[in-house]
Amino acid sequence: MTATFPDLHMPPRLLAPGGTPTDLRTHEDRYGPVPQAAADDILRLVAESGLTGRGGAAFPVHRKLLSVAAAGHRTGRTPVVIANGAEGEPASRKDRTLLRLSPHLVLDGIQLAAAATGAGEAHLALEEGAPDLESALTHRRDPVPVKVVRLPGRFLSGQSSALARYVGGGAALPAYHNPPIRERGVHRAPTLVQNVETLAHLALIARYGPDWFRTAGAQAQPGSALCTIHMPGHEPHVVEAPFGTPLHRLMPLHGTSAVLLGGYHGTWLPTPEAASRTLDATTMGAGVLMGLPTDRCGLKETAGILRYLASQSAGQCGPCLNGLPRISAAFTTLAEPGPQGSTRTDVARWSGLVEGRGACHHPDGTVRLVRSALTTFAPELDAHARGFCTEDH
Ligand SMILES: Cc1cc2nc3c(=O)[nH]c(=O)nc-3n(C[C@H](O)[C@H](O)[C@H](O)COP(=O)(O)O)c2cc1C
Ligand code: SF4
């Protein structure tokens, strides 16, 4: 896997030039020390920058920082920061690439998020990789202590309430949270969970300001994002691109019949539609783009992903326990050529029944994938019903 940058008329911001990991001395030579700023100043810079989260939901960062800081003042409990480097999405490589190449940008961002919220401790949560992070931390003199937390390797480990539970000594499983963890999370303290890429952007905004940040991207969606690109016949690679970049400039679309945008909780688009789309914070999820080769069956691909997603459910809520295995099994039937009976309508109906009914968004993300597959691969479904499949030709 390599970290490359296509010809997008923008130098990479987050990924170290030349694909070489950046040690602390090089980092400080390049960027200078972490700016010392008051909480209100950091909050203002973030609000003006328009930075949104890069962990999948594109939530405005300043709103989350503000609510954690406010909950800290209201409750008298010192907030906790969790940097989310779990990267549980199997098709994503961007967070581990960022942590390998530019760990100190993430660690700077953690300190700035802690200063903005008044946090007294921070945790950097990772599934695997980044073995040098502990040593990167020992070279720094940070005011807020940061602990590296190694998570169990599961799709759900990176969900925010699962992280808060795990850091607090419990299982890495999502939980119903009322009030939300930004008000009462780790050891009942207000808890900020922010994706590692989001924190790295914060480290640059604090240095160069919101106007600089907005020189990339679109007015409504400023800045750039890391994307993991899967092209047929190539190793996945990570690129950094401004929002608004046409998808066809991020990856060549010839030789593909569809593109999975956003990863396993994402959306299938037929290639002609993908060719007309741009990189958009609200649809890119965690930044995965995966091209489906023309000789592969999208229904079989989707069935494989659904089996994985159903197997990853924590089995705590009805929709996941009953609904996802049932949807997955039915989809496996649709993926094989042959009579379909009522399976197609069953899958659509069950999708409606599980949506919005879990303690976390795992069922919702799964349903998003299912619905897009039923639409994008409708011609393939018809062919299967007649006993034919793309892969058989
Ligand atoms: C099932 C599930 C898995 C998730 N996995 C991750 C993950 O691996 N990494 C991540 O940053 N966010 C993940 N998220 C999103 C987090 O819950 C949270 O919204 C995010 O870390 C917040 O950071 P951001 O606002 O900077 O994006 C996941 C969400 C769900 C529902
Ligand atoms: S919705 Fe599913 S994955 Fe989420 S907490 Fe409930 S059982 Fe677990």
Side-chain angles (χ1 to χ4, degrees):
M1 180 210 332
T2 52
T4 59
F5 194 72
D7 178 24
L8 295 168
H9 308 298
M10 192 198 99
R13 292 175 162 185
L14 299 180
L15 301 178
T20 314
T22 312
D23 61 17
L24 184 58
R25 181 185 291 186
T26 315
H27 172 77
E28 288 188 343
D29 286 349
R30 189 174 294 147
Y31 302 108
V34 192
Q36 301 298 308
D40 285 349
D41 292 330
I42 302 171
L43 290 168
R44 181 181 48 77
L45 289 177
V46 175
E48 287 174 10
S49 72
L51 177 65
T52 53
R54 302 293 197 256
F59 191 80
V61 176
H62 84 277
R63 279 175 49 196
K64 205 155 40 167
L65 293 172
L66 264 181
S67 39
V68 172
H73 290 307
R74 202 171 50 247
T75 61
R77 289 182 185 271
T78 307
V80 172
V81 169
I82 302 178
N84 193 349
E87 198 158 46
E89 160 65 53
S92 181
R93 305 284 184 279
K94 64 151 184 118
D95 290 338
R96 71 199 69 176
T97 302
L98 173 68
L99 286 163
R100 183 172 60 82
L101 294 180
S102 308
H104 293 287
L105 276 183
V106 176
L107 297 173
D108 290 353
I110 292 175
Q111 293 301 318
L112 289 157
T117 54
E121 66 178 75
H123 303 264
L124 172 51
L126 309 163
E127 272 190 7
E128 56 175 40
D132 301 334
L133 262 169
E134 280 90 347
S135 96
L137 271 167
T138 58
H139 292 107
R140 296 173 59 99
R141 299 279 168 268
D142 288 322
V144 174
V146 180
K147 273 194 214 138
V148 174
V149 178
R150 298 283 170 180
L151 297 163
R154 303 192 64 209
F155 187 78
L156 295 176
S157 297
Q159 195 273 347
S160 53
S161 65
L163 283 181
R165 214 166 160 183
Y166 193 69
V167 168
L173 296 173
Y176 281 105
H177 259 278
N178 192 15
I181 60 164
R182 60 180 179 274
E183 290 182 26
R184 197 193 297 165
V186 178
H187 302 312
R188 301 174 71 82
T191 299
L192 177 81
V193 175
Q194 212 80 75
N195 172 260
V196 287
E197 182 192 341
T198 314
L199 293 165
H201 285 293
L202 172 55
L204 294 181
I205 290 166
R207 287 178 164 97
Y208 304 130
D211 291 343
W212 165 85
F213 184 71
R214 287 177 169 277
T215 55
Q219 174 62 25
Q221 292 187 357
S224 58
L226 298 177
C227 302
T228 311
I229 311 284
H230 296 253
M231 290 189 296
H234 292 83
E235 284 292 299
H237 65 281
V238 175
V239 300
E240 182 178 358
F243 287 121
T245 303
L247 298 188
H248 65 81
R249 289 189 58 198
L250 281 176
M251 63 182 287
L253 296 172
H254 57 80
T256 68
S257 58
V259 174
L260 179 58
L261 180 60
Y264 283 22
H265 273 177
T267 312
W268 284 110
L269 297 173
T271 294
E273 190 177 338
S276 68
R277 296 280 193 105
T278 57
L279 189 66
D280 181 317
T282 60
T283 54
M284 67 163 215
V288 171
L289 280 96
M290 197 186 288
L292 179 74
T294 43
D295 60 353
R296 296 283 289 278
C297 171
L299 296 173
K300 287 199 170 79
E301 285 296 316
T302 308
I305 296 174
L306 287 175
R307 282 193 291 276
Y308 170 80
L309 291 175
S311 78
Q312 291 295 302
S313 143
Q316 303 179 121
C317 318
C320 265
L321 190 61
N322 306 312
L324 298 194
R326 205 184 274 192
I327 290 171
S328 164
F331 214 95
T332 298
T333 306
L334 293 179
E336 291 303 324
Q340 292 171 354
S342 63
T343 312
R344 213 156 149 176
T345 44
D346 289 344
V347 167
R349 188 163 48 83
W350 294 335
S351 295
L353 292 177
V354 303
E355 195 176 20
R357 300 211 13 244
C360 78
H361 291 302
H362 183 45
D364 306 343
T366 307
V367 163
R368 185 164 46 237
L369 178 81
V370 168
R371 290 204 174 116
S372 70
L374 291 177
T375 311
T376 298
F377 304 123
E380 191 74 36
L381 279 166
D382 294 339
H384 280 203
R386 294 194 307 273
F388 300 104
C389 177
T390 311
E391 286 192 9
D392 300 336
H393 295 282

